[in-house]
Amino acid sequence: MSTDKELPSRARMVVIGGGIVGTSVAYHLTHLGWTDVVLIEQGQLSSGTTWHAAGLVGQLRASEGGTRLVQYSAQLYSELEHETGLATGFKRCGGVTVARTEDRMVQLRRTAATAESYDLECELITPERAKELYPVLAIEDLVGAIWLPGDATANPVDVTASLARGARTGGVRIFEHTRVIGVEHADGRVTGVMTDRGPIESEVIVNCAGQWAKAVGALAGVNVPLHSAEHFYVVTEQIEGIHPDLPILRDPDGYTYFKEEVGGLVVGGFEPEAKPWVAPDQLPYPFEFQLLDEDWEHFSILMESALLRIPALHHTGIRKFYNGPESFTPDNQFILGEAPELRNFFVGAGFNSVGIASGGGAGRALAEWIVNGEPTIDLAAVDIRRFAPFNGNNQWLHDRVGEILGLHYEVPWPNRELVSARPFRRPPAYHLVEQAGAQFGSKMGWERANVFAPPGEEPHLEYTWGKPNWLPWSAEEQRRTRNSATVFDETSFGKLLITGRDAEVVLQRLCTADVAVPLGRAVYTGMLNDRGGYEADVTVTRLAHDRYLLVTSSASVVRDLVWIERHIARNEQVAVVDVSSSYAVYGVMGPGSRALLQRLTRADLSDTAFPFATSREIDLGYSTVRATRITYVGELGWELYVPCEFAVGVYEDLFDAGADLPLSNAGYYAINSLRLDKGYRAFGPDLTPDHNPVEAGLRFTCKLQSGIDFVGRRAVEEVIADGPRRRLVSFRLDDPDPMMWGGELVLRDGEAAGQVTSAAWSDTLDACVGLAYIWRRDREAVTTEHLKTGTYEINVGGRLHATTIGLKAPFDPSNERIRP
């Protein structure tokens, strides 16, 4: 394809990278009216990772947002030839995924239920039906399968060329063999790029450089956490019975996938122990249309599995061995969005072997983000702001990516904890919590106790779809919290200090609740986008007339900090500082919490002197700490914010003071169960950028009776006027036997009507409880009357179980226990 010759000195936007994602971004920008765009590729278009991609376009993803992105990709690839005149090789052949074990079959039943909630065609089938769809398949060891008719394949090089032509037609100028060697910026914003052919002044830079994206980000001081790993597949000679319309076949228990190619098969997979490639700052240049050396020994586990599944491969030759490096992120989600370090520097990279399937949708989503100034859909799971600078450590990435690639086809167990590159961020009392029998999980790198094993038991997690080995331990922690007192090490909480003359003004503009409160008052509030969806779910405490403490989830620190900073006007004096690592946090919860703390402090903790939502500094033993009377477990309690140098002493003091009381540790599994007893929401599962306070049942947090405007207020008022199209409800299963984990399909009178967002076992209620959004197929408003009528069931691993739903918390709906 021809490219432009003379490099311009200026363009409104520069896209770096000519693979499928870069060309998709450029293409979609032109469709949104941005035509002054330059695309730069250091080699030829599609010559990095794109050219050796397998080209699978699987429809169903773990989230609705991810599924919609891929669905759009498929639609785009099917229509591009008509627009551009260049074929994409798109073929809707369907996909078969087989199960060798009952555990895998439970996953597939959950997948089928998820597809139903997304209105996506998916069928549970027998091994015999799978063989009808895929005649060369061996089925003797299979227990079942699913059939997804909408799955497809595409030719990655052809799709990229077609997108590039569409972009050029829209005005984009493309320059191949042009390498970026620097990124210019001033006052926190990009101003242009330096290439080996000269500079280009630009207002916006988009980094779609594939496995080079981390190195390109480093030129701008931007952290792009990804690392390359070797990725293998082979192309066989022709096989009798293989035809062009053969479906994609996935055998995840054997780590393998298969697709038709010229009468033979592409046989690839995701081996359980991956091979990370060189560090991101050591990638070779040039590296066009190149592969790495064959490694048959490493590929052997995939080949042995393939021979079992497709016996014809025993007497079929291999035409080509592909070992092409691809970039992977630490959490197996790709990276989109505006970099937190630099305004107008956007990233679209780290696609973890799903770049072809996601490229069309991700390109459109990122283009819309650029043009509109914020995402138009929920992209929180892939937002670059989910990472912190420490996630860019190359040694840490090397070890983590080796595990991540290996988990690609593993059973996606609930609560799966990664084991590589740990322990990582350790709270001050980590060693004491470990000695108490903690089984640690990890969130934003923090080591935090999930659950505590009883004395003499090994703190080991058993992964299962049913009730796990640790459930009795967590149930006991729930009982103790409800009946006596427990200590939760919550040091991983995100903590932002917001200071300055205009701190109140900025927070009033961003927060749904009124934060112009007296000193020492804590306020629960959301922060919304212009669409009225949640960008944050936080507690804000006023420390002084010009100082606030904002407490958020551990995973949201960077996200929330950047959100606030980018809503500060030039003439406003406000500073936002991450102080998460400066303070340990201990949640002291339960009916006995006041008596315990009163043994250590001279402060009056009575309800009269220290009412709910009060926050003040108190003496605690020899230490001075901030005590905030608040709860996330539905009991009387305080969160203690302790300077790290006092944290070990305070932890020891608490347990010394409670030596004669029934005081114990408790972990995050108990927190999750206890908060769902109370219907407490969490950002991520229950509150997202696509959900508003009216739908979420949090209208009471919005200062709508005041004349104070806030971001998203108009959208919230429109939802109130029109009626919410979905409602978040609490539920309790009628049957105590099933175990739930979240994501399950809800049915009303036998038809799909919602999806569970959070679920856990409640010892208090002796059944699984949780939260779920309920919607209507006719897209009418979901009224309280609609919720009260009908019969509700939840699909748990393929079995339907009756459930009771309601708008009030299943436990203590009048909040009597938190205000004694």
Side-chain angles (χ1 to χ4, degrees), residues 531-544:
R531 296 180 290 119
Y534 276 90
E535 291 294 329
D537 177 57
V538 300
T539 300
V540 175
T541 301
R542 188 162 207 165
L543 307 180

Side-chain angles (χ1 to χ4, degrees), residues 31 39 62 70 82 88 141 181 231 265 336 394 417 433 452 475 484 493-495 508 529 648 700 737 768 771 802:
H31 283 251
L39 186 149
V70 176
H82 177 73
T88 61
D141 62 334
I181 57 175
H231 188 52
L265 287 174
L336 285 186
N394 283 340
E417 293 287 354
V433 175
F452 288 81
S484 52
F493 280 3
K495 312 161 200 84
Q508 283 288 68
N529 52 44
V648 170
F700 71 92
D737 289 337
C768 279
L771 295 164

Side-chain angles (χ1 to χ4, degrees), residues 39-338:
L39 186 149
I40 293 172
E41 163 57 44
Q42 66 177 352
Q44 297 179 51
L45 294 182
S46 76
S47 65
T49 297
T50 297
W51 76 274
H52 59 71
L56 309 184
V57 187
Q59 294 286 280
L60 190 59
R61 302 290 150 172
S63 67
E64 183 174 5
T67 299
R68 301 303 179 214
L69 288 186
V70 176
Q71 285 183 305
Y72 171 76
S73 293
Q75 176 188 343
L76 174 67
Y77 302 163
S78 69
E79 299 171 352
L80 263 180
E81 182 177 1
H82 177 73
E83 176 186 343
T84 68
L86 290 181
T88 61
F90 180 80
K91 180 174 59 177
R92 203 178 286 277
C93 55
V96 174
T97 301
V98 300
R100 301 187 187 189
T101 68
E102 182 56 33
D103 281 333
R104 180 71 66 179
M105 201 60 219
V106 171
Q107 179 207 339
L108 296 189
R109 293 188 195 107
R110 290 173 62 91
T111 297
T114 299
E116 186 175 355
S117 70
Y118 299 162
D119 202 22
L120 186 71
E121 189 176 359
C122 178
E123 181 184 353
L124 286 161
I125 60 176
T126 64
E128 290 73 23
R129 173 59 177 150
K131 188 171 180 63
E132 290 176 10
L133 292 165
Y134 211 94
V136 296
L137 181 68
I139 64 171
E140 291 77 11
D141 62 334
L142 299 182
V143 297
I146 57 171
W147 164 237
L148 286 155
D151 279 6
T153 61
N155 184 303
V157 174
D158 290 349
V159 172
T160 303
S162 191
L163 286 167
R165 176 174 285 187
R168 281 179 59 92
T169 301
V172 174
R173 290 167 287 176
I174 297 175
F175 296 89
E176 297 181 312
H177 301 293
T178 304
R179 190 183 190 200
V180 172
I181 57 175
V183 176
E184 305 296 326
H185 50 90
D187 299 325
R189 293 176 176 266
V190 297
T191 57
V193 296
M194 177 62 68
T195 78
D196 55 4
R197 295 172 58 186
I200 306 176
E201 182 183 337
S202 183
E203 301 169 14
V204 182
I205 307 297
V206 190
N207 176 7
C208 300
Q211 60 187 334
W212 288 269
K214 190 173 192 294
V216 170
L219 296 175
V222 169
N223 178 37
V224 184
L226 54 79
H227 196 292
S228 296
E230 300 183 33
H231 188 52
F232 309 89
Y233 68 83
V234 298
V235 180
T236 75
E237 301 288 357
Q238 292 189 350
I239 302 173
E240 185 177 353
I242 300 298
H243 54 81
D245 295 326
L246 201 68
I248 302 163
L249 173 65
R250 298 177 181 87
D251 180 14
D253 292 313
Y255 320 112
T256 49
Y257 62 81
F258 307 82
K259 78 157 191 171
E260 185 274 338
E261 184 159 313
V262 198
L265 287 174
V266 169
V267 181
F270 299 90
E271 66 280 16
E273 293 186 18
K275 283 185 66 179
W277 194 35
V278 297
D281 55 359
Q282 296 174 355
L283 292 170
Y285 173 80
F287 193 78
E288 292 181 64
F289 298 109
Q290 290 188 42
L291 297 172
L292 305 181
D293 293 338
E294 298 178 0
D295 188 342
W296 285 101
E297 181 179 356
H298 193 80
F299 188 72
S300 62
I301 188 172
L302 300 180
M303 199 64 214
E304 289 169 6
S305 176
L307 291 168
L308 174 68
R309 189 57 50 225
I310 310 292
L313 292 174
H314 281 282
H315 45 80
T316 302
I318 302 297
R319 284 199 289 119
K320 179 72 173 176
F321 186 113
Y322 285 83
N323 179 4
E326 297 186 22
S327 58
F328 291 81
T329 63
D331 61 0
N332 212 26
Q333 299 284 348
F334 53 84
I335 299 172
L336 285 186
E338 187 178 18

Side-chain angles (χ1 to χ4, degrees), residues 451-507:
V451 67
F452 288 81
E457 296 258 18
E458 185 69 23
H460 170 68
L461 283 188
E462 172 190 291
Y463 293 123
T464 176
W465 296 111
K467 292 181 177 177
N469 66 314
W470 50 262
L471 194 60
W473 310 343
S474 177
E476 178 62 22
E477 293 170 20
Q478 296 174 51
R479 282 193 291 275
R480 291 181 179 179
T481 305
R482 291 275 182 247
N483 297 316
S484 52
T486 51
V487 175
F488 299 88
D489 187 343
E490 299 168 329
T491 300
S492 65
F493 280 3
K495 312 161 200 84
L496 301 178
L497 193 62
I498 303 163
T499 63
R501 181 193 68 196
D502 300 303
E504 179 188 307
V505 173
V506 171
L507 286 175

Side-chain angles (χ1 to χ4, degrees), residues 308-385:
L308 174 68
R309 189 57 50 225
I310 310 292
L313 292 174
H314 281 282
H315 45 80
T316 302
I318 302 297
R319 284 199 289 119
K320 179 72 173 176
F321 186 113
Y322 285 83
N323 179 4
E326 297 186 22
S327 58
F328 291 81
T329 63
D331 61 0
N332 212 26
Q333 299 284 348
F334 53 84
I335 299 172
L336 285 186
E338 187 178 18
E341 301 92 341
L342 189 62
R343 294 300 306 264
N344 291 345
F345 186 97
F346 290 83
V347 179
F351 277 81
N352 309 287
S353 287
V354 298
I356 308 306
S358 302
R364 180 177 71 166
L366 189 54
E368 290 173 345
W369 192 333
I370 293 165
V371 171
N372 293 295
E374 63 182 47
T376 58
I377 59 172
D378 175 14
L379 295 173
V382 298
D383 194 320
I384 191 172
R385 293 174 296 169

Side-chain angles (χ1 to χ4, degrees), residues 531-615:
R531 296 180 290 119
Y534 276 90
E535 291 294 329
D537 177 57
V538 300
T539 300
V540 175
T541 301
R542 188 162 207 165
L543 307 180
H545 76 281
D546 60 353
R547 189 164 73 251
Y548 288 83
L549 176 68
L550 183 149
V551 178
T552 185
S553 68
S554 55
S556 298
V557 179
V558 176
R559 177 189 183 88
D560 294 356
L561 186 152
V562 173
W563 183 258
I564 297 168
E565 283 188 336
R566 292 186 176 172
H567 284 84
I568 299 171
R570 287 185 175 273
N571 64 337
E572 291 175 329
Q573 294 182 11
V574 180
V576 187
V577 181
D578 179 6
V579 295
S580 300
S581 297
S582 299
Y583 296 91
V585 181
Y586 300 125
V588 183
M589 300 291 158
S593 59
R594 178 182 281 124
L596 169 66
L597 293 174
Q598 203 68 78
R599 292 182 175 187
L600 291 168
T601 182
R602 300 181 184 188
D604 184 352
L605 300 182
S606 67
D607 189 54
T608 302
F610 211 122
F612 186 79
T614 298
S615 179

